[in-house]
Amino acid sequence: MAKDIDWGSLDFSYRETDYSYVSMYKDGKWDEGKLTGDHTVTMSECACVLQYSQSCFEGLKAYTTEDGRIVCFRPDLNAQRMADSARRLEMPPFPEDRFVDAVREVVKANIDWVPPYGSGATLYIRPYMFGYNSVIGVKPADEYMFRILVTPVGPYFKGGAKPVVVRIPDFDRAAPHGTGGIKAGLNYAMSLHPIMEAHREGFNENMYLDPATRTKVEETGGANIIFIKDHGKTLVTPKSDSILPSITRRSICWIAENMLGMKVEHRPVLFSEVPEMEEMGLCGTAAVISPVGQINDHGRIINIPSGMDEMGPTTKKLYDTLTGIQMGRIKAPEGWIFEV
Ligand SMILES: *Cc1c(COP(=O)(O)O)cnc(C)c1O
């Protein structure tokens, strides 16, 4: 029985469901893993994650398609990216095939929490792992916990996707050759101050520039950036080692090139090029694409021609195509939709 929830009024906050998934790494190997109804974690006060932030995570969603199937979008890419994150943090990667199986198992166990088609809500899936045992000298843990929690979340945009205003912050998101390219908790810890400052100043997001020269566009705290130019014919998206490789952005680029006949430029993008752009969007799992209407660079305003009222027409086409594929209204490219 589906839970008695007003799906449309959910926001993006944590709510306990029936089961989480947990697997422990000890003595050099992962155990077989299991579902648990215990939504708490008990560990040493000196656990590596608490002292040295040895942790990484992923984010994806399960939802109901138009024809009533429960699916996830490209979970194999989350598995791959989490393994990359783990290796960079000297953590043992959770096997990629087991990651996908565990996602299936935990969604199945919480099937009553998957929102119905058309509600706009989804079941957000958060795999994460961390250094578990006590470590006081600086070194990696040798015991790890991998968990997946799921929680129903509401539509990201209530009443349509309104363009946002971003500012250029005085902070950097990631160092050159640092950890910007992996999904590590530490990248978010350091973004909390800049994002709160942005909000206090009345902006929605920070648009970070490249940390070495501050001349190139990188991304926001939690979303990659796409631009549209040449009368909707070209998609431009920044390339840099310190940008997190967004699965949403990679999917959008594929759609632009292979389904909409657009040209895709994945290359370093100078901030000084931005006034040539016609549309701009922030992409990630949560919002899919969030349109940007205006950039504020220390008081200098760049208005994106698509404006502050609605998504630009090409962004809208990309958004409709991707969400159409996700919801089963448009035929998906091979391997994109993973049935639970
Ligand atoms: C998770 C994340 C994204 C979005 O990635 P998706 O795979 O599309 O959800 C973008 N930037 C950062 C910094 C992220 O952590």
Side-chain angles (χ1 to χ4, degrees), residues 57-59 78 81 173 180 182-183 188 219-224 244-250 283-286:
F57 67 97
E58 275 300 323
N78 295 98
R81 191 169 66 188
R173 193 189 83 87
I182 62 167
K183 221 165 168 73
Y188 280 77
E219 61 172 323
T220 69
N224 283 185
L244 192 281
S246 155
I247 295 163
T248 313
R249 186 257 301 156
R250 286 182 269 164
C283 35
T285 293

Side-chain angles (χ1 to χ4, degrees), residues 4 31 34 42 45 47 56 60 81 92 106 143 145 154 166 171 183 190 203 246 248 262 266 278:
D4 185 21
D31 70 13
K34 60 170 200 267
T42 304
E45 64 185 350
C56 60
L60 67 160
R81 191 169 66 188
V106 73
E143 293 175 16
M145 191 181 274
V166 299
F171 300 95
K183 221 165 168 73
M190 71 78 227
F203 304 109
S246 155
T248 313
M262 294 172 66
H266 186 207
E278 296 154 5

Side-chain angles (χ1 to χ4, degrees), residues 29-190:
K29 59 179 191 296
W30 287 104
D31 70 13
E32 68 280 12
K34 60 170 200 267
L35 294 171
T36 174
D38 184 357
H39 301 287
T40 62
V41 174
T42 304
M43 62 187 151
S44 163
E45 64 185 350
C46 206
C48 193
V49 61
L50 298 179
Q51 302 308 323
Y52 302 123
S53 299
Q54 194 187 21
S55 77
C56 60
F57 67 97
E58 275 300 323
L60 67 160
K61 318 188 269 204
Y63 47 89
T64 311
T65 59
E66 190 171 31
D67 58 355
R69 291 173 302 144
I70 290 175
V71 302
C72 296
F73 185 70
R74 311 186 78 178
D76 52 322
L77 297 187
N78 295 98
Q80 222 174 60
R81 191 169 66 188
M82 193 161 181
D84 290 340
S85 297
R87 281 185 283 264
R88 175 65 176 80
L89 296 170
E90 286 292 332
M91 305 165 92
F94 193 71
E96 292 177 33
D97 53 334
R98 285 194 55 196
F99 177 105
V100 175
D101 289 344
V103 165
R104 173 186 275 134
E105 191 179 344
V106 73
V107 173
K108 264 196 174 143
N110 292 288
I111 211 93
D112 297 342
W113 294 95
V114 181
Y117 175 77
S119 64
T122 58
L123 186 71
Y124 185 72
I125 305 168
R126 165 57 59 87
Y128 60 107
M129 67 182 275
F130 51 90
Y132 179 77
N133 64 298
S134 56
V135 160
I136 192 75
V138 179
K139 63 173 185 185
D142 34 44
E143 293 175 16
Y144 294 86
M145 191 181 274
F146 170 86
R147 293 182 72 101
I148 306 178
L149 68 84
V150 301
T151 190
V153 295
Y156 196 83
F157 300 119
K158 293 200 168 100
K162 281 281 162 216
V164 298
V165 181
V166 299
R167 68 153 191 180
I168 305 296
D170 287 324
F171 300 95
D172 294 321
R173 193 189 83 87
H177 318 295
T179 53
I182 62 167
K183 221 165 168 73
L186 57 91
N187 290 336
Y188 280 77
M190 71 78 227

Side-chain angles (χ1 to χ4, degrees), residues 160-235:
K162 281 281 162 216
V164 298
V165 181
V166 299
R167 68 153 191 180
I168 305 296
D170 287 324
F171 300 95
D172 294 321
R173 193 189 83 87
H177 318 295
T179 53
I182 62 167
K183 221 165 168 73
L186 57 91
N187 290 336
Y188 280 77
M190 71 78 227
S191 77
L192 297 175
H193 176 62
I195 192 64
M196 292 310 288
E197 192 184 81
H199 291 167
R200 285 190 286 269
E201 291 175 10
F203 304 109
N204 301 94
E205 284 290 348
N206 289 306
M207 173 175 166
Y208 292 100
L209 301 181
D210 76 291
T213 69
R214 294 255 176 104
T215 58
K216 286 172 260 171
V217 177
E218 294 253 306
E219 61 172 323
T220 69
N224 283 185
I225 296 176
I226 56 166
F227 297 101
I228 305 296
K229 63 175 212 175
D230 301 337
H231 308 287
K233 289 204 271 292
T234 305
L235 185 157

